[in-house]
Amino acid sequence: STLTAEPRRGAVLVAKALVVAVVLALTTAVTYAIAVLTTAPILKTAIDWSDPTLSWFPLLAGVFAMAMFALIGLGFGFIVRNGAGAIAATVGVLFVLPIVLNMFVFAGESWQWIVDLGQYLPMAAAQMATTPAGDDVLRGILTLAAWPAALLLGAWAALRTRDA
């Protein structure tokens, strides 16, 4: 019904992506605020809010990561066109694939490149992006943004070539 009301498929994809990303970002921000307010009184060492690289930036990167995870799921949903399949693909990329790639640590030196690929998975990128004052924050943010960008471009291409 959405594509009947708005036949420009790219506009539908962009609108859904914006809504999903904004809703997840706001929900995550509220959840983080509640978590910080709840845990701050019981922490042994207080959070140093004067240093944004140790306080605000990791929280903002976490909000960004959650929005990107949602867009990864949306991209898979448009490509696969099956709710269960999209959930399985998203869970596979976010949670299962890192475990599988890390198993190659035991395979020997010639398989190390597969383990190194794990650094470019969304969860590893989120860890890089949210590590306070980490060296790879920018690489983590760029990797996080590249995953949904690639999937949403694929979703756009798939939407243009099929009925609905």
Side-chain angles (χ1 to χ4, degrees), residues 6-72:
E6 175 55 67
R8 295 177 300 165
R9 295 163 189 268
V12 170
L13 181 64
V14 168
K16 287 189 178 206
L18 281 173
V19 168
V20 166
V22 167
V23 167
L24 224 347
L26 290 175
T27 303
T28 303
V30 168
T31 303
Y32 281 0
I34 292 169
V36 167
L37 291 173
T38 305
T39 59
I42 59 174
L43 292 175
K44 284 186 179 180
T45 57
I47 298 171
D48 183 13
W49 294 103
S50 65
D51 186 1
T53 59
L54 297 176
S55 57
W56 291 106
F57 291 164
L59 289 173
L60 292 173
V63 169
F64 178 73
M66 290 303 295
M68 295 302 102
F69 293 161
L71 291 178
I72 288 170

Side-chain angles (χ1 to χ4, degrees), residues 90-158:
T90 304
V91 167
V93 167
L94 293 180
F95 302 114
V96 178
L97 201 52
I99 295 169
V100 171
L101 293 184
N102 278 331
M103 283 188 215
F104 282 89
V105 168
F106 304 110
E109 193 71 26
S110 62
W111 295 97
Q112 184 61 35
W113 66 275
I114 293 179
V115 177
D116 294 340
L117 279 178
Q119 296 174 15
Y120 298 97
L121 291 175
M123 279 301 202
Q127 185 176 2
M128 284 186 266
T130 57
T131 300
D135 295 334
D136 293 331
V137 172
L138 182 60
R139 184 173 66 156
I141 289 172
L142 291 175
T143 302
L144 272 173
W147 273 89
L151 286 168
L152 290 174
L153 280 173
W156 177 73

Side-chain angles (χ1 to χ4, degrees), residues 13 74-79 150-160 162:
L13 181 64
L74 182 73
F76 277 129
F78 271 102
I79 291 170
L151 286 168
L152 290 174
L153 280 173
W156 177 73
L159 260 177
R160 291 178 53 91
R162 60 179 177 225

